[in-house]
Every structure is written in structure tokens, then in C-alpha cells.
Amino acid sequence: MKSVFDVAAELGATVAPPDAIASAEADIFAPCALGGVLDDRAVQELRAEIVAGAANNQLLEPRHGDALAARGVLYVPDVVANAGGVLSGGADLFGWSRAEVERRVHAIHDTVLLVLEMAKADGAPPHVAAERLAERRLRDRAAAG
């Protein structure tokens, strides 16, 4: 098995210690497998222009999403970006076919665009727009019976 140092050498990448990852020079910061990484320090030190990862609860507190927006960092909310895992459970829970799961996973792209459009239109950070969209969809489902 290759170490992180072996892979970095192959790719011409640099290995950063965990406490320096947020301040690393990068286009995209992708928190994965560890929540709460976007805290006061990380938001302040972040050099990437986009945050989009697969970790749950990336924001330590909702105010950190507000801080990202204030800094002009595009944040793709975790509840949208990593919805594929939940959707893949639909095969077991609802008997969805592989094709249905794939269709729904591919639709995440459109949901991300919708959330970002809503955020821009409402002048709200993306995490707030994602919550509003989720609430609207739940209300619509409840009303439909």
C-alpha cells in the first residue's frame, strides 16, 4: 500500500499537516470524512475560492457559512454535495433500481445549481438557501400526501 508521501511524490503534490490544510494553496477545499472543520480559524485562513466536500456538518456552526459568504468563498452545502450516499440507500429502502439511483445522483448537479441560484436571488448564504429548499420540498411532499 502506498503512503500519502508516495502518492504526493507521484503527483507532484505537497503533503500538509492537518492543521495547515485550510491555508494550503488550492482551487477547491474539499472536507471529507471529518465534520466541523470549517471553524473560525479555517474560515479565516482558507485560500481556496470554493468549498465542496463530502463530509457531514462541515460548518462548525451556521455562522461559519455566513463568514464564508462574506469572504466571497463559494460554499456548496454538504447536505447537497454529499447526497449521493443517502440516495444510494434508496435502493435498499425503496427498492429503487440502479438506473433510478444513478438518475437521482446525477440530479445533484441541478440541485447544487438551484441552491446557488436561490442564494444569489435571496442574498443569503448557500447553507441557508439549501435549508430553505429542503423545507420547501418537505412541505410540498407533506401537502401532496
Side-chain angles (χ1 to χ4, degrees), residues 9-27:
E10 286 179 21
L11 298 175
T14 303
V15 176
D19 62 347
I21 292 173
S23 62
E25 181 85 29
D27 295 322

mmCIF file of all heavy atoms in Angstrom, residues 9-27:
data_model
loop_
_atom_site.group_PDB
_atom_site.id
_atom_site.type_symbol
_atom_site.label_atom_id
_atom_site.label_comp_id
_atom_site.label_asym_id
_atom_site.label_seq_id
_atom_site.Cartn_x
_atom_site.Cartn_y
_atom_site.Cartn_z
ATOM 1 N N ALA A 9 4.444 12.301 -4.088
ATOM 2 C CA ALA A 9 5.630 12.325 -4.945
ATOM 3 C C ALA A 9 5.257 11.997 -6.393
ATOM 4 O O ALA A 9 5.744 12.635 -7.330
ATOM 5 C CB ALA A 9 6.679 11.348 -4.419
ATOM 6 N N GLU A 10 4.388 11.022 -6.589
ATOM 7 C CA GLU A 10 3.953 10.646 -7.937
ATOM 8 C C GLU A 10 3.206 11.780 -8.636
ATOM 9 O O GLU A 10 3.317 11.967 -9.844
ATOM 10 C CB GLU A 10 3.047 9.420 -7.881
ATOM 11 C CG GLU A 10 3.758 8.123 -7.614
ATOM 12 C CD GLU A 10 2.802 6.944 -7.546
ATOM 13 O OE1 GLU A 10 1.673 7.042 -8.075
ATOM 14 O OE2 GLU A 10 3.175 5.924 -6.940
ATOM 15 N N LEU A 11 2.424 12.519 -7.856
ATOM 16 C CA LEU A 11 1.579 13.568 -8.430
ATOM 17 C C LEU A 11 2.216 14.953 -8.411
ATOM 18 O O LEU A 11 1.635 15.908 -8.915
ATOM 19 C CB LEU A 11 0.242 13.614 -7.676
ATOM 20 C CG LEU A 11 -0.603 12.352 -7.752
ATOM 21 C CD1 LEU A 11 -1.834 12.481 -6.861
ATOM 22 C CD2 LEU A 11 -1.000 12.051 -9.187
ATOM 23 N N GLY A 12 3.369 15.059 -7.784
ATOM 24 C CA GLY A 12 3.997 16.368 -7.664
ATOM 25 C C GLY A 12 3.255 17.252 -6.678
ATOM 26 O O GLY A 12 3.255 18.473 -6.794
ATOM 27 N N ALA A 13 2.615 16.629 -5.711
ATOM 28 C CA ALA A 13 1.835 17.360 -4.707
ATOM 29 C C ALA A 13 2.655 17.540 -3.429
ATOM 30 O O ALA A 13 3.727 16.954 -3.266
ATOM 31 C CB ALA A 13 0.562 16.589 -4.393
ATOM 32 N N THR A 14 2.127 18.335 -2.545
ATOM 33 C CA THR A 14 2.750 18.577 -1.257
ATOM 34 C C THR A 14 1.840 18.044 -0.170
ATOM 35 O O THR A 14 0.625 18.265 -0.218
ATOM 36 C CB THR A 14 2.965 20.091 -1.036
ATOM 37 O OG1 THR A 14 3.748 20.595 -2.118
ATOM 38 C CG2 THR A 14 3.660 20.365 0.274
ATOM 39 N N VAL A 15 2.407 17.387 0.794
ATOM 40 C CA VAL A 15 1.645 16.889 1.938
ATOM 41 C C VAL A 15 1.636 17.984 3.000
ATOM 42 O O VAL A 15 2.683 18.534 3.346
ATOM 43 C CB VAL A 15 2.272 15.596 2.504
ATOM 44 C CG1 VAL A 15 1.530 15.146 3.756
ATOM 45 C CG2 VAL A 15 2.258 14.508 1.451
ATOM 46 N N ALA A 16 0.453 18.302 3.483
ATOM 47 C CA ALA A 16 0.316 19.319 4.518
ATOM 48 C C ALA A 16 -0.188 18.675 5.803
ATOM 49 O O ALA A 16 -1.025 17.770 5.752
ATOM 50 C CB ALA A 16 -0.669 20.402 4.079
ATOM 51 N N PRO A 17 0.286 19.138 6.945
ATOM 52 C CA PRO A 17 -0.254 18.613 8.202
ATOM 53 C C PRO A 17 -1.708 19.047 8.355
ATOM 54 O O PRO A 17 -2.126 20.068 7.786
ATOM 55 C CB PRO A 17 0.640 19.243 9.273
ATOM 56 C CG PRO A 17 1.295 20.409 8.623
ATOM 57 C CD PRO A 17 1.324 20.140 7.146
ATOM 58 N N PRO A 18 -2.509 18.290 9.103
ATOM 59 C CA PRO A 18 -3.940 18.600 9.230
ATOM 60 C C PRO A 18 -4.241 20.044 9.631
ATOM 61 O O PRO A 18 -5.183 20.639 9.106
ATOM 62 C CB PRO A 18 -4.421 17.620 10.303
ATOM 63 C CG PRO A 18 -3.494 16.466 10.179
ATOM 64 C CD PRO A 18 -2.151 17.066 9.829
ATOM 65 N N ASP A 19 -3.438 20.621 10.500
ATOM 66 C CA ASP A 19 -3.744 21.988 10.947
ATOM 67 C C ASP A 19 -3.378 23.051 9.914
ATOM 68 O O ASP A 19 -3.642 24.233 10.112
ATOM 69 C CB ASP A 19 -3.078 22.287 12.294
ATOM 70 C CG ASP A 19 -1.554 22.227 12.240
ATOM 71 O OD1 ASP A 19 -0.997 21.729 11.246
ATOM 72 O OD2 ASP A 19 -0.931 22.685 13.214
ATOM 73 N N ALA A 20 -2.785 22.654 8.797
ATOM 74 C CA ALA A 20 -2.413 23.609 7.757
ATOM 75 C C ALA A 20 -3.194 23.398 6.461
ATOM 76 O O ALA A 20 -2.968 24.117 5.491
ATOM 77 C CB ALA A 20 -0.918 23.502 7.475
ATOM 78 N N ILE A 21 -4.094 22.446 6.444
ATOM 79 C CA ILE A 21 -4.794 22.128 5.194
ATOM 80 C C ILE A 21 -5.646 23.291 4.697
ATOM 81 O O ILE A 21 -5.641 23.622 3.515
ATOM 82 C CB ILE A 21 -5.638 20.843 5.349
ATOM 83 C CG1 ILE A 21 -4.704 19.645 5.512
ATOM 84 C CG2 ILE A 21 -6.561 20.645 4.160
ATOM 85 C CD1 ILE A 21 -5.401 18.349 5.830
ATOM 86 N N ALA A 22 -6.367 23.936 5.600
ATOM 87 C CA ALA A 22 -7.249 25.025 5.160
ATOM 88 C C ALA A 22 -6.472 26.175 4.539
ATOM 89 O O ALA A 22 -6.983 26.856 3.647
ATOM 90 C CB ALA A 22 -8.086 25.534 6.330
ATOM 91 N N SER A 23 -5.249 26.390 4.964
ATOM 92 C CA SER A 23 -4.480 27.514 4.431
ATOM 93 C C SER A 23 -3.622 27.125 3.229
ATOM 94 O O SER A 23 -2.888 27.963 2.702
ATOM 95 C CB SER A 23 -3.598 28.114 5.531
ATOM 96 O OG SER A 23 -2.662 27.160 6.001
ATOM 97 N N ALA A 24 -3.736 25.900 2.781
ATOM 98 C CA ALA A 24 -2.962 25.452 1.614
ATOM 99 C C ALA A 24 -3.455 26.134 0.349
ATOM 100 O O ALA A 24 -4.645 26.431 0.213
ATOM 101 C CB ALA A 24 -3.064 23.934 1.471
ATOM 102 N N GLU A 25 -2.548 26.376 -0.558
ATOM 103 C CA GLU A 25 -2.897 26.947 -1.857
ATOM 104 C C GLU A 25 -3.687 25.896 -2.633
ATOM 105 O O GLU A 25 -3.177 24.811 -2.918
ATOM 106 C CB GLU A 25 -1.624 27.309 -2.620
ATOM 107 C CG GLU A 25 -1.851 27.937 -3.955
ATOM 108 C CD GLU A 25 -2.053 29.434 -3.874
ATOM 109 O OE1 GLU A 25 -1.512 30.056 -2.952
ATOM 110 O OE2 GLU A 25 -2.781 29.953 -4.729
ATOM 111 N N ALA A 26 -4.941 26.193 -2.949
ATOM 112 C CA ALA A 26 -5.794 25.238 -3.662
ATOM 113 C C ALA A 26 -6.945 25.977 -4.317
ATOM 114 O O ALA A 26 -7.337 27.054 -3.867
ATOM 115 C CB ALA A 26 -6.339 24.193 -2.687
ATOM 116 N N ASP A 27 -7.486 25.381 -5.363
ATOM 117 C CA ASP A 27 -8.667 25.951 -6.007
ATOM 118 C C ASP A 27 -9.921 25.576 -5.240
ATOM 119 O O ASP A 27 -10.846 26.371 -5.103
ATOM 120 C CB ASP A 27 -8.794 25.450 -7.445
ATOM 121 C CG ASP A 27 -7.643 25.917 -8.329
ATOM 122 O OD1 ASP A 27 -7.195 27.068 -8.161
ATOM 123 O OD2 ASP A 27 -7.196 25.128 -9.168
#
